[in-house]
Amino acid sequence: MYRLKNAGYKAYLVGGSVRDLLLGLKPKDFDVVTDARPEQIRELFRNCRLIGRRFRLAHIRFGREIIEVSTFRAPHQTVAGEGHTEDGRIVRDNVYGDIDDDVWRRDFTVNALFYNIEDFSLVDYVGGLSDIKAKQLRLIGDPVERYREDPVRMLRAVRFAVKLGFTLHPATEQPITELDHLLQDIPPARLFEEFMKLFMNGCALAAYNQLRRYGLFVHLFPETDQALDKDNSGFMHGLLSNAFKNTDIRLTEDKPVTPGFLVAVLLWIPMVRLAEGYKSNGLSEMDAISLASDTAISRQVKSISMPRRFTQMAREIWNLQTRLKHHHGNRPYRLVSHPRFRAAYDFLLLRKEVGDNVLDLADWWTEFLVKNKIQDTDSIATDRKAPRRRHQRKRNIT
Ligand code: ATP
Ligand code: MG
């Protein structure tokens, strides 16, 4: 910010970092806004990369930290036309302006506070500070219009409410149940980013409950949502709740987590239902699960695209649920050296906890691990490379 200022530009800290600092929270990252154009920013910083098409902005790397630096944006027209789709969604948005243009483009009042390094003042055009004090999340402008411009703001509303313990202002809350369907047009890659922020930030359980409550969950995990609606026993809700709770706890304890494990949990019931169908058509259990895994995953990635390593992990965890059942002879020793063994065992424990018919099996494995002094490493859901882990396991057994 000082480098920008010394070069004659304006520079403000903005967004989540200002909000979090005011709330006494540790900011996850820092966003800076300036009147320098992306190309001008690049001239000032060697460690700078310009990214984005819809929003062109600069990423400046300092060690392991990336500071997002964007240029003030001018208002956009709310009618269909240049840069908008017919339903009002913004697809291109690179018209530059000044701070008093930029502020209206931000989503929530609490995200639209600017900290000015020139005189250490806080610039508040939209009543963000009083909303922070009231612990209230309020969209700037007309909520319906703002959700139509960018439906992902509905997910952001839930995410910030959950993360900050804020309530949604009634006018911000009310349209969500009518506009949720707009999320259907959001590119699956963008929804993946939101999925990560919603579920890998320590508030997964609360996010899940609120997304279900507002009817948004169906747009992220359609098959899971349908299965939840039919879940009279509460088994599936229990499975998801426990997995989210564990994820949240692990994150507060600084233990590693991976979305692959959550994908396995989220799609478990849809996958099992499919596999049952295939089995009744004569496929073996292994083949049925393999085919059902393919089907469940290919349906899911239409909503949220995911890196292959996460879906692959889910496949392996599911496949191992069958293989764990056959534990005679040397098999268990081979199985524990499988790179996904620990995740699969944790998955089995999760199923046991919520009353799936695997009590004896889970206990058998627990006893086996204790008997063979195989340490309970915190390996659930880690993404570590296989060879190292295989080596570790072998050493643990002998
Ligand atoms: P986090 O703690 O998750 O980083 P954040 O508020 O910083 O929260 P970012 O996604 O990093 O969120 O975005 C930075 C800022 O850019 C926001 O605070 C907001 O002012 C603005 N912004 C981001 N996404 C949108 C959006 N979809 N619509 C309007 N403004 C947005
Ligand atoms: Mg941020």
Side-chain angles (χ1 to χ4, degrees):
M1 289 169 75
Y2 283 97
R3 193 180 302 179
L4 283 163
K5 178 176 155 290
N6 292 338
Y9 299 113
K10 294 174 190 160
Y12 297 86
L13 194 62
V14 67
S17 51
V18 181
R19 176 199 68 214
D20 290 352
L21 287 169
L22 286 167
L23 286 164
L25 303 170
K26 189 167 172 275
K28 194 168 57 61
D29 50 35
F30 292 90
D31 302 293
V32 169
V33 67
T34 174
D35 58 353
R37 300 289 168 92
E39 295 72 27
Q40 294 170 322
I41 301 169
R42 188 164 52 184
E43 277 167 25
L44 284 178
F45 296 91
R46 253 188 324 122
N47 43 344
C48 168
R49 211 160 59 93
L50 299 187
I51 61 147
R53 213 155 33 130
R54 180 168 161 268
F55 286 123
R56 193 156 172 76
L57 45 85
H59 271 180
I60 303 184
R61 181 182 282 279
F62 290 101
R64 293 171 65 206
E65 201 86 44
I66 288 181
I67 315 284
E68 211 166 86
V69 184
S70 56
T71 309
F72 292 133
R73 271 163 238 282
H76 44 259
Q77 270 86 47
T78 46
V79 294
E82 178 64 18
H84 285 74
T85 60
E86 269 173 24
D87 60 4
R89 190 152 63 91
I90 302 171
V91 285
R92 215 167 36 256
D93 193 8
N94 282 315
V95 186
Y96 302 118
D98 207 342
I99 183 170
D100 50 359
D101 300 312
D102 187 277
V103 61
W104 307 104
R105 314 287 323 285
R106 303 206 164 253
D107 47 5
F108 302 97
T109 60
V110 298
N111 285 350
L113 293 163
F114 299 81
Y115 176 66
N116 187 358
I117 51 158
E118 193 111 46
D119 57 4
F120 312 112
S121 62
L122 195 68
V123 184
D124 180 7
Y125 285 90
V126 289
L129 198 56
S130 68
D131 280 338
I132 282 192
K133 286 184 185 141
K135 293 193 168 293
Q136 171 165 268
L137 214 55
R138 194 159 50 95
L139 269 174
I140 298 167
D142 174 44
V144 172
E145 209 173 281
R146 301 309 307 281
Y147 286 137
R148 281 192 184 281
E149 281 172 2
D150 182 7
V152 169
R153 288 172 187 150
M154 292 184 270
L155 298 175
R156 290 173 62 85
V158 167
R159 175 157 68 88
F160 293 129
V162 160
K163 170 182 152 167
L164 306 171
F166 280 24
T167 51
L168 298 184
H169 184 274
T172 294
E173 179 177 44
Q174 189 264 325
I176 294 181
T177 40
E178 282 150 39
L179 299 177
D180 64 283
H181 63 94
L182 296 172
L183 282 170
Q184 240 131 23
D185 296 327
I186 301 301
R190 185 152 180 233
L191 288 187
F192 175 70
E193 283 172 31
E194 286 306 314
F195 160 71
M196 293 291 280
K197 291 182 187 169
L198 280 159
F199 290 97
M200 306 301 284
N201 270 338
C203 306
L205 179 59
Y208 157 70
N209 285 322
Q210 293 305 311
L211 289 169
R212 278 278 291 170
R213 180 176 151 218
Y214 287 112
L216 297 173
F217 190 73
V218 64
H219 303 294
L220 299 177
F221 292 94
E223 307 266 330
T224 312
D225 193 79
Q226 271 179 29
L228 278 166
D229 286 342
K230 292 185 211 138
D231 178 35
N232 297 327
S233 68
F235 167 76
M236 197 174 161
H237 178 71
L239 190 76
L240 293 183
S241 301
N242 279 18
F244 292 138
K245 196 166 63 197
N246 291 346
T247 304
D248 291 342
I249 293 173
R250 293 182 64 86
L251 280 167
T252 60
E253 294 172 348
D254 262 337
K255 291 181 182 167
V257 292
T258 168
F261 190 83
L262 287 186
V263 173
V265 176
L266 279 156
L267 299 184
W268 171 247
I269 294 298
M271 189 285 290
V272 167
R273 297 265 183 282
L274 284 163
E276 278 163 3
Y278 296 141
K279 249 185 0 196
S280 64
N281 284 337
L283 281 191
S284 73
E285 179 165 352
M286 277 311 226
D287 288 346
I289 287 191
S290 168
L291 187 60
S293 305
D294 289 343
T295 313
I297 287 169
S298 62
R299 286 182 187 170
Q300 175 58 43
V301 295
K302 287 187 188 130
S303 306
I304 303 182
S305 63
M306 304 191 189
R308 223 189 155 69
R309 62 181 191 282
F310 299 147
T311 54
Q312 190 56 28
M313 182 173 186
R315 267 180 231 272
E316 287 174 341
I317 290 173
W318 296 335
N319 170 281
L320 280 164
Q321 296 308 299
T322 305
R323 290 170 61 189
L324 289 177
K325 288 196 262 184
H326 309 290
H327 48 64
H328 48 271
N330 255 336
R331 274 166 163 256
Y333 296 95
R334 279 207 308 274
L335 276 173
V336 288
S337 70
H338 190 289
R340 295 297 177 220
F341 170 78
R342 178 61 61 172
Y345 168 66
D346 284 329
F347 195 88
L348 186 68
L349 292 183
L350 193 63
R351 290 171 61 199
K352 173 189 137 173
E353 272 171 37
V354 292
D356 205 354
N357 190 17
V358 290
L359 182 68
D360 291 343
L361 184 62
D363 289 349
W364 188 92
W365 277 102
T366 304
E367 207 174 296
F368 174 83
L369 295 178
V370 171
K371 214 164 55 195
N372 289 280
K373 299 199 173 58
I374 297 167
Q375 281 161 18
D376 182 20
T377 55
D378 290 323
S379 51
I380 163 194
T382 54
D383 263 331
R384 245 173 274 145
K385 292 280 176 292
R388 212 178 111 216
R389 311 229 349 213
R390 200 169 284 151
H391 179 68
Q392 274 180 347
R393 296 273 169 256
K394 281 219 175 97
R395 237 197 359 231
N396 286 342
I397 297 164
T398 48

